[in-house]
């Protein structure tokens, strides 16, 4: 497949068109997407990304097709990991649910712009100095090691919401503590002030730049063709907003995703160093001659990346930690749903909701103290929701009292 100026122009026009469609069709009116809406549009964007790779096959360009799909899967995995940090930032700023997709779309747009700049810069550096792959490889190995070290130490990303860009913005212009719809600026006491909406966008924008530092070197380990790097990165970002709302409840259940991504980044780092050795020009390495090492084929890279992701997801969901988190989340979710049932709810529907609540609350109640201490960061809130829901059930004449409900009310502790 010939990649020329026309190819670039058409591709960029399609990407910009998709972004514009998202802005005007989805986020112009603030709302929280339903699961159905998020599922449909996530499927559309993933379908477009997969269909784009078929274009290379249509031109008989199998090598670029494999490189594109490998890069797309790699970048998609890294972008899902980015969603965790976005979630923390939005929680720190208490972004109302209906405005979150606008914040996410801004983050995606800024990520696309910043990563495009990094792609162009990376391509120029590679063109001038091919031994830069040594630096890329070592950098990715360091990133993988630091990420693994952070996970083992239990570090979190809560300080991402108070990064240097946010502090600088607050110094330049006064900031309001109140949201004014989805406006970026407002007038308070006759003065123009920034709203938290602008600050959260600044925080996410600054974080996007940091993400680009490991994202772009990683995909250059898959392919050195700038067009493949750009398209794989762009399509991995498109639809990320919908994916966030689709897997919102699943994001923090992937408890070992960071370990999997550390393994992938480490693998790509080794691949880059092997490539650098194979194309070596450094005079102090093998006298400036190429080192006869076996490079890792792109198809093998694709299988390794997919394999690690599958193992990571399965282990996360099946592990005792993952199961404990599922029990806690479902106990709170079904207790909250029971609380929200209308007074005129049919007795059979109320009984079914009560059974689901009892089932998951009993599972959560049976967790070991280890998981309670580690996972219940908001224990008071959790206990209050569970207690209130079961108190409601005990006083409900439509549903028989149960020992489960009575016991859980007693163990949930005092209401907050």
């Amino acid at each position: 497949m010939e990649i020329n100026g026309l190819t670039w122009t058409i591709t960029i026009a399609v990407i910009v068109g998709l972004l514009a469609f998202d802005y005007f069709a989805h986020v112009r009116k603030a709302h929280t997407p339903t699961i159905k809406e998020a599922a449909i549009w996530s499927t559309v964007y993933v379908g477009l990304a997969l269909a784009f790779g078929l274009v290379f096959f249509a031109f008989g360009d199998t090598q670029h097709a494999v490189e594109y799909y490998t890069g797309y899967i790699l970048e998609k995995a890294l972008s899902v990991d980015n969603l965790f940090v976005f979630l923390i930032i939005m929680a720190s700023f208490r972004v109302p649910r209906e405005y979150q997709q606008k914040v996410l779309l801004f983050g995606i747009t800024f990520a696309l712009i910043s990563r495009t700049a990094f792609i162009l810069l990376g391509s120029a550096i590679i063109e001038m100095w091919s031994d830069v792959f040594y630096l890329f490889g070592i950098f990715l190995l360091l990133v993988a090691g630091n990420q693994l070290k952070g996970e083992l130490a239990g570090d979190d990303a809560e300080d991402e919401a108070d990064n240097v860009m946010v502090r600088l913005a607050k110094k330049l212009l006064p900031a309001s503590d109140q949201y004014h719809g989805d406006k970026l600026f407002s007038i308070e006491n006759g003065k123009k002030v920034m709203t938290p909406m602008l600050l959260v966008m600044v925080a996410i924008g600054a974080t996007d730049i940091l993400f680009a530092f490991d994202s772009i070197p990683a995909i250059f380990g898959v392919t050195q063709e700038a067009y493949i790097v750009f398209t794989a990165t762009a399509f991995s970002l498109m639809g990320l907003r919908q994916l966030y709302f689709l897997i919102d409840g699943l994001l923090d259940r992937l408890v070992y995703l960071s370990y999997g991504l550390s393994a992938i980044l480490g693998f790509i780092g080794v691949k880059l160093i092997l490539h650098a050795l194979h194309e070596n020009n450094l005079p102090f390495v093998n006298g400036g001659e190429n080192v006869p090492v076996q490079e890792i084929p792109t198809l093998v890279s694709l299988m390794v990346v997919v394999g690690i992701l599958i193992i990571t997801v399965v282990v996360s969901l099946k592990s005792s930690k993952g199961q404990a988190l599922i029990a806690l989340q479902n106990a709170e979710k079904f207790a909250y749903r029971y609380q929200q049932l209308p007074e005129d709810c049919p007795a059979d529907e109320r009984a079914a909701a009560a059974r689901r609540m009892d089932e998951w609350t009993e599972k959560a109640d049976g967790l070991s103290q280890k998981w309670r201490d580690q996972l219940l960061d908001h224990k008071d809130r959790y206990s209050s929701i569970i207690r209130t829901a079961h108190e409601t059930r005990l006083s409900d004449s439509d549903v028989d009292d149960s020992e489960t409900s009575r016991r859980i009310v007693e163990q949930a502790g005092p209401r907050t």
Side-chain angles (χ1 to χ4, degrees), residues 303-372:
M303 291 188 291
V304 169
V305 170
V306 172
I308 291 176
L309 288 176
I310 291 174
I311 292 172
T312 300
V313 171
V314 172
V315 171
S316 292
L317 297 179
K318 295 297 183 181
S319 67
S320 56
K321 182 178 181 180
Q323 291 291 311
L325 192 57
I326 290 172
L328 290 170
Q329 287 180 333
N330 282 338
E332 182 170 356
K333 178 177 72 175
F334 287 110
Y336 178 77
R337 286 183 181 179
Y338 185 84
Q339 284 179 257
Q340 300 304 306
L341 289 175
E343 293 182 5
D344 58 350
C345 176
D348 57 344
E349 184 178 336
R350 185 177 295 276
R355 282 194 297 272
R356 297 295 298 277
M357 176 178 66
D358 278 349
E359 175 189 351
W360 284 106
T361 307
E362 191 167 10
K363 288 181 180 179
D365 184 49
L367 293 176
S368 67
Q369 193 61 42
K370 169 188 174 182
W371 296 126
R372 286 178 172 275

Side-chain angles (χ1 to χ4, degrees), residues 384-399:
S384 178
I385 290 174
I386 299 297
R387 182 183 179 91
T388 301
H390 284 278
E391 282 180 342
T392 302
R393 183 182 178 190
L394 287 172
S395 62
D396 196 327
S397 60
D398 290 333
V399 182

Side-chain angles (χ1 to χ4, degrees), residues 116-371:
T116 299
F118 275 93
I119 290 168
L120 296 176
L121 179 62
S123 295
I125 293 175
I126 291 171
E127 188 71 26
M128 292 186 295
W129 185 42
S130 62
D131 290 308
V132 72
F133 286 113
Y134 281 116
L135 298 181
F136 283 175
I138 293 171
F139 176 74
L140 286 183
L141 289 174
L142 290 174
V143 169
N146 285 333
Q147 184 163 325
L148 184 60
K149 180 181 177 181
E151 282 297 310
L152 294 174
D155 294 344
D156 55 44
E158 290 182 357
D159 59 341
E160 294 289 354
D162 190 32
N163 58 43
V164 65
M165 294 299 292
V166 173
R167 293 194 293 271
L168 179 61
K170 288 181 177 178
K171 287 182 179 180
L172 295 176
L173 197 66
S176 170
D177 293 329
Q178 302 295 323
Y179 283 91
H180 297 267
D182 58 357
K183 293 180 180 179
L184 304 182
F185 295 93
S186 183
I187 304 296
E188 288 188 359
N189 300 322
K191 294 183 179 181
K192 188 176 184 179
V193 295
M194 294 181 297
T195 67
M197 193 71 174
L198 178 59
L199 291 177
V200 70
M201 288 184 175
V202 171
I204 284 182
T207 305
D208 275 331
I209 295 176
L210 297 178
F211 287 150
F213 277 106
D214 57 12
S215 171
I216 299 307
I219 194 170
F220 270 119
V222 174
T223 177
Q224 286 80 61
E225 174 56 62
Y227 180 76
I228 304 297
V229 174
F230 171 76
T231 52
T233 301
F235 278 108
S236 71
L237 292 171
M238 302 304 296
L240 199 60
R241 174 184 62 82
Q242 293 88 345
L243 185 64
Y244 170 85
F245 288 97
L246 181 62
I247 64 173
D248 190 6
L250 293 176
L251 274 176
D252 51 1
R253 294 184 189 179
L254 302 178
V255 291
Y256 296 119
L257 179 62
S258 291
Y259 292 99
L261 292 178
S262 295
I264 290 173
L265 291 176
F267 169 76
I268 298 296
V270 171
K271 185 177 188 296
L272 281 168
I273 292 176
L274 289 176
H275 177 74
L277 289 169
H278 191 266
E279 304 291 332
N280 177 64
N281 292 301
L282 296 179
F284 53 84
V285 177
N286 198 35
E289 299 295 326
N290 296 344
V291 179
V293 295
Q294 177 63 50
E295 290 198 78
I296 301 174
T298 305
L299 186 59
V300 173
S301 300
L302 175 60
M303 291 188 291
V304 169
V305 170
V306 172
I308 291 176
L309 288 176
I310 291 174
I311 292 172
T312 300
V313 171
V314 172
V315 171
S316 292
L317 297 179
K318 295 297 183 181
S319 67
S320 56
K321 182 178 181 180
Q323 291 291 311
L325 192 57
I326 290 172
L328 290 170
Q329 287 180 333
N330 282 338
E332 182 170 356
K333 178 177 72 175
F334 287 110
Y336 178 77
R337 286 183 181 179
Y338 185 84
Q339 284 179 257
Q340 300 304 306
L341 289 175
E343 293 182 5
D344 58 350
C345 176
D348 57 344
E349 184 178 336
R350 185 177 295 276
R355 282 194 297 272
R356 297 295 298 277
M357 176 178 66
D358 278 349
E359 175 189 351
W360 284 106
T361 307
E362 191 167 10
K363 288 181 180 179
D365 184 49
L367 293 176
S368 67
Q369 193 61 42
K370 169 188 174 182
W371 296 126

Side-chain angles (χ1 to χ4, degrees), residues 56-165:
F56 295 106
F57 282 119
F59 281 90
D61 193 352
T62 303
Q63 179 62 26
H64 277 160
V66 174
E67 290 177 356
Y68 167 77
Y69 283 124
T70 306
Y72 171 74
I73 294 172
L74 171 64
E75 289 297 306
K76 199 68 173 179
L78 291 172
S79 64
V80 169
D81 188 48
N82 297 352
L83 287 180
F84 283 98
V85 180
F86 289 169
L87 183 64
I88 292 171
I89 291 175
M90 288 193 289
S92 299
F93 282 96
R94 296 181 176 84
V95 181
R97 185 73 168 171
E98 62 270 23
Y99 302 138
Q100 288 183 4
Q101 62 171 342
K102 187 170 186 177
V103 174
L104 284 168
L105 190 54
F106 168 81
I108 291 167
T109 304
F110 192 87
L112 187 56
I113 294 172
S114 61
R115 293 184 193 195
T116 299
F118 275 93
I119 290 168
L120 296 176
L121 179 62
S123 295
I125 293 175
I126 291 171
E127 188 71 26
M128 292 186 295
W129 185 42
S130 62
D131 290 308
V132 72
F133 286 113
Y134 281 116
L135 298 181
F136 283 175
I138 293 171
F139 176 74
L140 286 183
L141 289 174
L142 290 174
V143 169
N146 285 333
Q147 184 163 325
L148 184 60
K149 180 181 177 181
E151 282 297 310
L152 294 174
D155 294 344
D156 55 44
E158 290 182 357
D159 59 341
E160 294 289 354
D162 190 32
N163 58 43
V164 65
M165 294 299 292

